[in-house]
Amino acid sequence: MGKFNFIQTEIPGVVIIEPTVYGDDRGYFMETYQADEFAAAGIDRNFVQDNQSRSTKGVLRGLHFQKNHTQGKLVRVTLGEVYDVAVDCRPGSATFGKWVGVTLSADNKRMFYIPEGFAHGFLVLSDVAEFTYKCTDVYDPTSEGGIPYDDPTVNVQWPDCGCEHKTSAKDKQHEPFAAQDFAWFAKY
């Protein structure tokens, strides 16, 4: 048995990863990444940057992308619970404009791989959540872009977190999905 269970979602390339967790009354151990096993599952990317964020219940980050230095992301939650979403922004893709979401938590230990050419965001469902991710390119503030989290064309069905969504001022200024041409993602 491998160290990971790779679950393909309805959008090709977007993958849920369940690591094998070894534990007893002392705690647990798991590997969160192994290049050979990920490559065998079709995730053959070079990760160059790691990030971590901490957010409180109702925080909705996203839906973000970078036009240049486009990032693939391998994400997971180390504390709490979030609902994580990937939106296909690749013109010409059979799933262009479609989204897929998954609940990630410290308890379920699932990971989510979002390839280049996708917008990404998450909603915090627990009182506090710590979110970590590996990226295939560096952060470039000059190429930031995004889609409103409540865009009617994409129509993400965010779960009820029991409170108002807390978004950044910047996230409230994204152009609607239908107003963007996404030409920078055509190569994906």
Side-chain angles (χ1 to χ4, degrees):
M1 177 174 149
K3 295 176 182 150
F4 304 94
N5 179 28
F6 297 92
I7 304 164
Q8 298 294 323
T9 67
E10 58 268 20
I11 299 179
V14 179
V15 182
I16 298 167
I17 301 118
E18 295 176 334
T20 299
V21 180
Y22 306 92
D24 56 28
D25 60 349
R26 299 171 300 147
Y28 73 90
F29 171 83
M30 67 182 194
E31 291 184 20
T32 59
Y33 177 75
Q34 190 178 87
D36 291 347
E37 286 202 34
F38 275 64
I43 304 171
D44 190 12
R45 305 296 296 140
N46 182 32
F47 294 102
V48 299
Q49 179 177 320
D50 283 4
N51 300 323
Q52 182 167 337
S53 68
R54 183 178 177 101
S55 304
T56 56
K57 188 173 194 169
V59 167
L60 201 155
R61 297 186 185 270
L63 299 158
H64 301 146
F65 56 78
Q66 288 191 169
K67 300 170 189 173
N68 300 306
H69 296 281
T70 302
Q71 297 175 319
K73 296 176 181 176
L74 176 60
V75 303
R76 67 189 181 100
V77 170
T78 58
L79 175 71
E81 181 177 67
V82 308
Y83 187 70
D84 201 77
V85 170
V87 179
D88 191 346
C89 297
R90 301 169 300 167
S93 166
T95 54
F96 179 68
K98 304 294 183 203
W99 64 275
V100 63
V102 62
T103 299
L104 304 175
S105 71
D107 289 339
N108 73 22
K109 296 177 181 39
R110 284 181 151 188
M111 295 178 277
F112 197 38
Y113 178 69
I114 302 114
E116 293 88 344
F118 284 75
H120 171 253
F122 64 89
L123 171 64
V124 178
L125 303 175
S126 55
D127 288 338
V128 175
E130 289 187 1
F131 189 85
T132 66
Y133 49 110
K134 301 178 107 32
C135 301
T136 60
D137 207 336
V138 297
Y139 171 69
D140 176 12
T142 66
S143 68
E144 288 182 334
I147 303 163
Y149 79 91
D150 57 354
D151 186 274
T153 301
V154 176
N155 196 27
V156 173
Q157 299 299 301
W158 298 99
D160 182 6
C161 64
C163 63
E164 296 277 329
H165 292 157
K166 299 175 231 173
T167 59
S168 70
K170 182 170 49 174
D171 283 351
K172 293 176 182 174
Q173 298 174 4
H174 295 310
E175 285 187 80
F177 184 87
Q180 300 187 51
D181 71 6
F182 298 104
W184 49 86
F185 292 148
K187 64 183 174 183
Y188 301 108

PDB file of all heavy atoms in Angstrom, residues 113-141:
ATOM      1  N   TYR A 113      -4.834  19.165  -4.121  1.00  0.00           N
ATOM      2  CA  TYR A 113      -3.912  19.719  -5.118  1.00  0.00           C
ATOM      3  C   TYR A 113      -4.714  20.493  -6.146  1.00  0.00           C
ATOM      4  O   TYR A 113      -5.631  19.951  -6.768  1.00  0.00           O
ATOM      5  CB  TYR A 113      -3.097  18.620  -5.801  1.00  0.00           C
ATOM      6  CG  TYR A 113      -2.192  19.215  -6.853  1.00  0.00           C
ATOM      7  CD1 TYR A 113      -1.107  20.003  -6.492  1.00  0.00           C
ATOM      8  CD2 TYR A 113      -2.453  19.027  -8.202  1.00  0.00           C
ATOM      9  CE1 TYR A 113      -0.298  20.594  -7.453  1.00  0.00           C
ATOM     10  CE2 TYR A 113      -1.645  19.606  -9.167  1.00  0.00           C
ATOM     11  CZ  TYR A 113      -0.570  20.387  -8.789  1.00  0.00           C
ATOM     12  OH  TYR A 113       0.223  20.971  -9.737  1.00  0.00           O
ATOM     13  N   ILE A 114      -4.333  21.767  -6.333  1.00  0.00           N
ATOM     14  CA  ILE A 114      -4.967  22.656  -7.305  1.00  0.00           C
ATOM     15  C   ILE A 114      -3.901  23.032  -8.326  1.00  0.00           C
ATOM     16  O   ILE A 114      -2.921  23.701  -7.985  1.00  0.00           O
ATOM     17  CB  ILE A 114      -5.523  23.926  -6.628  1.00  0.00           C
ATOM     18  CG1 ILE A 114      -6.548  23.550  -5.537  1.00  0.00           C
ATOM     19  CG2 ILE A 114      -6.150  24.857  -7.643  1.00  0.00           C
ATOM     20  CD1 ILE A 114      -6.105  23.894  -4.160  1.00  0.00           C
ATOM     21  N   PRO A 115      -4.025  22.611  -9.579  1.00  0.00           N
ATOM     22  CA  PRO A 115      -2.989  22.906 -10.575  1.00  0.00           C
ATOM     23  C   PRO A 115      -2.994  24.374 -11.017  1.00  0.00           C
ATOM     24  O   PRO A 115      -3.921  25.135 -10.707  1.00  0.00           O
ATOM     25  CB  PRO A 115      -3.349  22.006 -11.756  1.00  0.00           C
ATOM     26  CG  PRO A 115      -4.593  21.293 -11.421  1.00  0.00           C
ATOM     27  CD  PRO A 115      -5.086  21.780 -10.107  1.00  0.00           C
ATOM     28  N   GLU A 116      -1.981  24.734 -11.778  1.00  0.00           N
ATOM     29  CA  GLU A 116      -1.923  26.048 -12.397  1.00  0.00           C
ATOM     30  C   GLU A 116      -3.147  26.229 -13.289  1.00  0.00           C
ATOM     31  O   GLU A 116      -3.658  25.270 -13.859  1.00  0.00           O
ATOM     32  CB  GLU A 116      -0.651  26.188 -13.244  1.00  0.00           C
ATOM     33  CG  GLU A 116       0.626  26.185 -12.443  1.00  0.00           C
ATOM     34  CD  GLU A 116       1.201  24.796 -12.183  1.00  0.00           C
ATOM     35  OE1 GLU A 116       0.475  23.778 -12.347  1.00  0.00           O
ATOM     36  OE2 GLU A 116       2.371  24.719 -11.782  1.00  0.00           O
ATOM     37  N   GLY A 117      -3.621  27.471 -13.382  1.00  0.00           N
ATOM     38  CA  GLY A 117      -4.784  27.746 -14.220  1.00  0.00           C
ATOM     39  C   GLY A 117      -6.103  27.739 -13.468  1.00  0.00           C
ATOM     40  O   GLY A 117      -7.162  27.801 -14.081  1.00  0.00           O
ATOM     41  N   PHE A 118      -6.035  27.667 -12.152  1.00  0.00           N
ATOM     42  CA  PHE A 118      -7.232  27.642 -11.321  1.00  0.00           C
ATOM     43  C   PHE A 118      -7.221  28.808 -10.340  1.00  0.00           C
ATOM     44  O   PHE A 118      -6.162  29.235  -9.889  1.00  0.00           O
ATOM     45  CB  PHE A 118      -7.303  26.343 -10.505  1.00  0.00           C
ATOM     46  CG  PHE A 118      -7.723  25.149 -11.309  1.00  0.00           C
ATOM     47  CD1 PHE A 118      -6.837  24.547 -12.196  1.00  0.00           C
ATOM     48  CD2 PHE A 118      -8.997  24.618 -11.188  1.00  0.00           C
ATOM     49  CE1 PHE A 118      -7.219  23.453 -12.946  1.00  0.00           C
ATOM     50  CE2 PHE A 118      -9.384  23.519 -11.935  1.00  0.00           C
ATOM     51  CZ  PHE A 118      -8.500  22.934 -12.822  1.00  0.00           C
ATOM     52  N   ALA A 119      -8.405  29.300 -10.004  1.00  0.00           N
ATOM     53  CA  ALA A 119      -8.550  30.213  -8.876  1.00  0.00           C
ATOM     54  C   ALA A 119      -8.758  29.345  -7.636  1.00  0.00           C
ATOM     55  O   ALA A 119      -9.281  28.233  -7.723  1.00  0.00           O
ATOM     56  CB  ALA A 119      -9.739  31.142  -9.080  1.00  0.00           C
ATOM     57  N   HIS A 120      -8.350  29.871  -6.496  1.00  0.00           N
ATOM     58  CA  HIS A 120      -8.397  29.100  -5.254  1.00  0.00           C
ATOM     59  C   HIS A 120      -8.904  29.968  -4.111  1.00  0.00           C
ATOM     60  O   HIS A 120      -8.602  31.156  -4.044  1.00  0.00           O
ATOM     61  CB  HIS A 120      -6.989  28.586  -4.929  1.00  0.00           C
ATOM     62  CG  HIS A 120      -6.886  27.972  -3.579  1.00  0.00           C
ATOM     63  ND1 HIS A 120      -6.242  28.594  -2.535  1.00  0.00           N
ATOM     64  CD2 HIS A 120      -7.370  26.806  -3.098  1.00  0.00           C
ATOM     65  CE1 HIS A 120      -6.324  27.822  -1.461  1.00  0.00           C
ATOM     66  NE2 HIS A 120      -7.000  26.740  -1.779  1.00  0.00           N
ATOM     67  N   GLY A 121      -9.681  29.364  -3.224  1.00  0.00           N
ATOM     68  CA  GLY A 121     -10.132  30.067  -2.035  1.00  0.00           C
ATOM     69  C   GLY A 121     -10.607  29.093  -0.984  1.00  0.00           C
ATOM     70  O   GLY A 121     -10.815  27.912  -1.265  1.00  0.00           O
ATOM     71  N   PHE A 122     -10.764  29.614   0.238  1.00  0.00           N
ATOM     72  CA  PHE A 122     -11.293  28.765   1.304  1.00  0.00           C
ATOM     73  C   PHE A 122     -12.070  29.584   2.315  1.00  0.00           C
ATOM     74  O   PHE A 122     -11.855  30.775   2.485  1.00  0.00           O
ATOM     75  CB  PHE A 122     -10.183  27.958   1.999  1.00  0.00           C
ATOM     76  CG  PHE A 122      -9.150  28.766   2.747  1.00  0.00           C
ATOM     77  CD1 PHE A 122      -9.334  29.108   4.078  1.00  0.00           C
ATOM     78  CD2 PHE A 122      -7.979  29.153   2.122  1.00  0.00           C
ATOM     79  CE1 PHE A 122      -8.376  29.825   4.781  1.00  0.00           C
ATOM     80  CE2 PHE A 122      -7.012  29.876   2.812  1.00  0.00           C
ATOM     81  CZ  PHE A 122      -7.214  30.217   4.142  1.00  0.00           C
ATOM     82  N   LEU A 123     -13.008  28.897   2.973  1.00  0.00           N
ATOM     83  CA  LEU A 123     -13.854  29.460   4.017  1.00  0.00           C
ATOM     84  C   LEU A 123     -13.559  28.714   5.316  1.00  0.00           C
ATOM     85  O   LEU A 123     -13.610  27.476   5.353  1.00  0.00           O
ATOM     86  CB  LEU A 123     -15.336  29.292   3.663  1.00  0.00           C
ATOM     87  CG  LEU A 123     -16.358  29.633   4.746  1.00  0.00           C
ATOM     88  CD1 LEU A 123     -16.310  31.116   5.120  1.00  0.00           C
ATOM     89  CD2 LEU A 123     -17.761  29.246   4.284  1.00  0.00           C
ATOM     90  N   VAL A 124     -13.274  29.460   6.393  1.00  0.00           N
ATOM     91  CA  VAL A 124     -12.981  28.847   7.684  1.00  0.00           C
ATOM     92  C   VAL A 124     -14.290  28.460   8.380  1.00  0.00           C
ATOM     93  O   VAL A 124     -15.163  29.302   8.593  1.00  0.00           O
ATOM     94  CB  VAL A 124     -12.150  29.796   8.571  1.00  0.00           C
ATOM     95  CG1 VAL A 124     -11.886  29.162   9.933  1.00  0.00           C
ATOM     96  CG2 VAL A 124     -10.836  30.156   7.885  1.00  0.00           C
ATOM     97  N   LEU A 125     -14.415  27.184   8.737  1.00  0.00           N
ATOM     98  CA  LEU A 125     -15.614  26.653   9.369  1.00  0.00           C
ATOM     99  C   LEU A 125     -15.466  26.500  10.882  1.00  0.00           C
ATOM    100  O   LEU A 125     -16.463  26.457  11.596  1.00  0.00           O
ATOM    101  CB  LEU A 125     -15.969  25.296   8.755  1.00  0.00           C
ATOM    102  CG  LEU A 125     -16.177  25.286   7.241  1.00  0.00           C
ATOM    103  CD1 LEU A 125     -16.393  23.860   6.743  1.00  0.00           C
ATOM    104  CD2 LEU A 125     -17.323  26.191   6.845  1.00  0.00           C
ATOM    105  N   SER A 126     -14.250  26.402  11.373  1.00  0.00           N
ATOM    106  CA  SER A 126     -13.988  26.244  12.802  1.00  0.00           C
ATOM    107  C   SER A 126     -13.679  27.601  13.433  1.00  0.00           C
ATOM    108  O   SER A 126     -13.542  28.606  12.727  1.00  0.00           O
ATOM    109  CB  SER A 126     -12.803  25.286  13.006  1.00  0.00           C
ATOM    110  OG  SER A 126     -11.667  25.744  12.272  1.00  0.00           O
ATOM    111  N   ASP A 127     -13.562  27.636  14.755  1.00  0.00           N
ATOM    112  CA  ASP A 127     -13.262  28.900  15.432  1.00  0.00           C
ATOM    113  C   ASP A 127     -11.956  29.512  14.932  1.00  0.00           C
ATOM    114  O   ASP A 127     -11.844  30.719  14.772  1.00  0.00           O
ATOM    115  CB  ASP A 127     -13.197  28.697  16.947  1.00  0.00           C
ATOM    116  CG  ASP A 127     -14.575  28.449  17.555  1.00  0.00           C
ATOM    117  OD1 ASP A 127     -15.584  28.833  16.913  1.00  0.00           O
ATOM    118  OD2 ASP A 127     -14.646  27.868  18.646  1.00  0.00           O
ATOM    119  N   VAL A 128     -10.954  28.672  14.708  1.00  0.00           N
ATOM    120  CA  VAL A 128      -9.649  29.091  14.186  1.00  0.00           C
ATOM    121  C   VAL A 128      -9.178  28.005  13.239  1.00  0.00           C
ATOM    122  O   VAL A 128      -9.463  26.822  13.447  1.00  0.00           O
ATOM    123  CB  VAL A 128      -8.621  29.256  15.331  1.00  0.00           C
ATOM    124  CG1 VAL A 128      -7.240  29.569  14.793  1.00  0.00           C
ATOM    125  CG2 VAL A 128      -9.061  30.334  16.311  1.00  0.00           C
ATOM    126  N   ALA A 129      -8.448  28.381  12.198  1.00  0.00           N
ATOM    127  CA  ALA A 129      -7.850  27.400  11.290  1.00  0.00           C
ATOM    128  C   ALA A 129      -6.457  27.858  10.886  1.00  0.00           C
ATOM    129  O   ALA A 129      -6.235  29.052  10.659  1.00  0.00           O
ATOM    130  CB  ALA A 129      -8.712  27.197  10.049  1.00  0.00           C
ATOM    131  N   GLU A 130      -5.552  26.893  10.818  1.00  0.00           N
ATOM    132  CA  GLU A 130      -4.230  27.142  10.253  1.00  0.00           C
ATOM    133  C   GLU A 130      -4.142  26.353   8.962  1.00  0.00           C
ATOM    134  O   GLU A 130      -4.436  25.158   8.927  1.00  0.00           O
ATOM    135  CB  GLU A 130      -3.130  26.765  11.238  1.00  0.00           C
ATOM    136  CG  GLU A 130      -3.071  27.736  12.399  1.00  0.00           C
ATOM    137  CD  GLU A 130      -1.904  27.517  13.338  1.00  0.00           C
ATOM    138  OE1 GLU A 130      -1.077  26.608  13.102  1.00  0.00           O
ATOM    139  OE2 GLU A 130      -1.829  28.266  14.328  1.00  0.00           O
ATOM    140  N   PHE A 131      -3.756  27.053   7.913  1.00  0.00           N
ATOM    141  CA  PHE A 131      -3.787  26.551   6.547  1.00  0.00           C
ATOM    142  C   PHE A 131      -2.368  26.624   5.995  1.00  0.00           C
ATOM    143  O   PHE A 131      -1.738  27.683   6.048  1.00  0.00           O
ATOM    144  CB  PHE A 131      -4.734  27.469   5.758  1.00  0.00           C
ATOM    145  CG  PHE A 131      -5.077  27.017   4.384  1.00  0.00           C
ATOM    146  CD1 PHE A 131      -6.106  26.126   4.174  1.00  0.00           C
ATOM    147  CD2 PHE A 131      -4.392  27.518   3.291  1.00  0.00           C
ATOM    148  CE1 PHE A 131      -6.449  25.729   2.893  1.00  0.00           C
ATOM    149  CE2 PHE A 131      -4.727  27.123   2.012  1.00  0.00           C
ATOM    150  CZ  PHE A 131      -5.758  26.225   1.812  1.00  0.00           C
ATOM    151  N   THR A 132      -1.847  25.519   5.483  1.00  0.00           N
ATOM    152  CA  THR A 132      -0.502  25.520   4.913  1.00  0.00           C
ATOM    153  C   THR A 132      -0.576  25.082   3.462  1.00  0.00           C
ATOM    154  O   THR A 132      -1.450  24.300   3.070  1.00  0.00           O
ATOM    155  CB  THR A 132       0.451  24.582   5.684  1.00  0.00           C
ATOM    156  OG1 THR A 132       0.020  23.235   5.524  1.00  0.00           O
ATOM    157  CG2 THR A 132       0.509  24.935   7.155  1.00  0.00           C
ATOM    158  N   TYR A 133       0.353  25.604   2.662  1.00  0.00           N
ATOM    159  CA  TYR A 133       0.375  25.184   1.269  1.00  0.00           C
ATOM    160  C   TYR A 133       1.735  25.351   0.635  1.00  0.00           C
ATOM    161  O   TYR A 133       2.506  26.231   0.973  1.00  0.00           O
ATOM    162  CB  TYR A 133      -0.702  25.872   0.441  1.00  0.00           C
ATOM    163  CG  TYR A 133      -0.822  27.374   0.552  1.00  0.00           C
ATOM    164  CD1 TYR A 133      -0.453  28.197  -0.510  1.00  0.00           C
ATOM    165  CD2 TYR A 133      -1.334  27.967   1.695  1.00  0.00           C
ATOM    166  CE1 TYR A 133      -0.600  29.572  -0.428  1.00  0.00           C
ATOM    167  CE2 TYR A 133      -1.493  29.332   1.778  1.00  0.00           C
ATOM    168  CZ  TYR A 133      -1.117  30.135   0.717  1.00  0.00           C
ATOM    169  OH  TYR A 133      -1.252  31.502   0.798  1.00  0.00           O
ATOM    170  N   LYS A 134       1.998  24.409  -0.269  1.00  0.00           N
ATOM    171  CA  LYS A 134       3.197  24.422  -1.094  1.00  0.00           C
ATOM    172  C   LYS A 134       2.789  25.001  -2.449  1.00  0.00           C
ATOM    173  O   LYS A 134       1.722  24.686  -2.955  1.00  0.00           O
ATOM    174  CB  LYS A 134       3.738  23.002  -1.305  1.00  0.00           C
ATOM    175  CG  LYS A 134       4.091  22.269  -0.027  1.00  0.00           C
ATOM    176  CD  LYS A 134       4.558  20.866  -0.306  1.00  0.00           C
ATOM    177  CE  LYS A 134       6.015  20.645  -0.127  1.00  0.00           C
ATOM    178  NZ  LYS A 134       6.736  21.382   0.851  1.00  0.00           N
ATOM    179  N   CYS A 135       3.662  25.820  -3.032  1.00  0.00           N
ATOM    180  CA  CYS A 135       3.364  26.468  -4.317  1.00  0.00           C
ATOM    181  C   CYS A 135       4.423  26.130  -5.349  1.00  0.00           C
ATOM    182  O   CYS A 135       5.605  26.010  -5.027  1.00  0.00           O
ATOM    183  CB  CYS A 135       3.304  27.985  -4.146  1.00  0.00           C
ATOM    184  SG  CYS A 135       2.075  28.543  -2.968  1.00  0.00           S
ATOM    185  N   THR A 136       4.001  26.040  -6.612  1.00  0.00           N
ATOM    186  CA  THR A 136       4.920  25.723  -7.692  1.00  0.00           C
ATOM    187  C   THR A 136       5.623  26.948  -8.263  1.00  0.00           C
ATOM    188  O   THR A 136       6.486  26.817  -9.117  1.00  0.00           O
ATOM    189  CB  THR A 136       4.189  24.994  -8.842  1.00  0.00           C
ATOM    190  OG1 THR A 136       3.156  25.858  -9.349  1.00  0.00           O
ATOM    191  CG2 THR A 136       3.598  23.677  -8.363  1.00  0.00           C
ATOM    192  N   ASP A 137       5.254  28.143  -7.814  1.00  0.00           N
ATOM    193  CA  ASP A 137       5.949  29.364  -8.210  1.00  0.00           C
ATOM    194  C   ASP A 137       5.862  30.349  -7.061  1.00  0.00           C
ATOM    195  O   ASP A 137       5.081  30.158  -6.126  1.00  0.00           O
ATOM    196  CB  ASP A 137       5.349  29.962  -9.494  1.00  0.00           C
ATOM    197  CG  ASP A 137       6.365  30.772 -10.297  1.00  0.00           C
ATOM    198  OD1 ASP A 137       7.365  31.261  -9.708  1.00  0.00           O
ATOM    199  OD2 ASP A 137       6.169  30.929 -11.516  1.00  0.00           O
ATOM    200  N   VAL A 138       6.656  31.389  -7.145  1.00  0.00           N
ATOM    201  CA  VAL A 138       6.718  32.375  -6.068  1.00  0.00           C
ATOM    202  C   VAL A 138       5.545  33.344  -6.147  1.00  0.00           C
ATOM    203  O   VAL A 138       4.954  33.550  -7.207  1.00  0.00           O
ATOM    204  CB  VAL A 138       8.045  33.161  -6.100  1.00  0.00           C
ATOM    205  CG1 VAL A 138       9.220  32.220  -5.859  1.00  0.00           C
ATOM    206  CG2 VAL A 138       8.209  33.904  -7.413  1.00  0.00           C
ATOM    207  N   TYR A 139       5.227  33.931  -5.011  1.00  0.00           N
ATOM    208  CA  TYR A 139       4.184  34.949  -4.945  1.00  0.00           C
ATOM    209  C   TYR A 139       4.661  36.204  -5.658  1.00  0.00           C
ATOM    210  O   TYR A 139       5.774  36.673  -5.459  1.00  0.00           O
ATOM    211  CB  TYR A 139       3.857  35.257  -3.487  1.00  0.00           C
ATOM    212  CG  TYR A 139       2.950  36.452  -3.319  1.00  0.00           C
ATOM    213  CD1 TYR A 139       1.625  36.395  -3.728  1.00  0.00           C
ATOM    214  CD2 TYR A 139       3.423  37.642  -2.774  1.00  0.00           C
ATOM    215  CE1 TYR A 139       0.785  37.491  -3.588  1.00  0.00           C
ATOM    216  CE2 TYR A 139       2.588  38.739  -2.619  1.00  0.00           C
ATOM    217  CZ  TYR A 139       1.279  38.660  -3.037  1.00  0.00           C
ATOM    218  OH  TYR A 139       0.460  39.747  -2.899  1.00  0.00           O
ATOM    219  N   ASP A 140       3.813  36.759  -6.511  1.00  0.00           N
ATOM    220  CA  ASP A 140       4.119  37.974  -7.258  1.00  0.00           C
ATOM    221  C   ASP A 140       2.954  38.939  -7.103  1.00  0.00           C
ATOM    222  O   ASP A 140       1.928  38.792  -7.764  1.00  0.00           O
ATOM    223  CB  ASP A 140       4.338  37.643  -8.738  1.00  0.00           C
ATOM    224  CG  ASP A 140       4.570  38.867  -9.594  1.00  0.00           C
ATOM    225  OD1 ASP A 140       4.792  39.976  -9.048  1.00  0.00           O
ATOM    226  OD2 ASP A 140       4.535  38.728 -10.831  1.00  0.00           O
ATOM    227  N   PRO A 141       3.104  39.945  -6.221  1.00  0.00           N
ATOM    228  CA  PRO A 141       1.983  40.859  -5.972  1.00  0.00           C
ATOM    229  C   PRO A 141       1.559  41.658  -7.202  1.00  0.00           C
ATOM    230  O   PRO A 141       0.420  42.114  -7.274  1.00  0.00           O
ATOM    231  CB  PRO A 141       2.498  41.777  -4.861  1.00  0.00           C
ATOM    232  CG  PRO A 141       3.974  41.646  -4.883  1.00  0.00           C
ATOM    233  CD  PRO A 141       4.275  40.281  -5.417  1.00  0.00           C
TER     234      PRO A 141
END
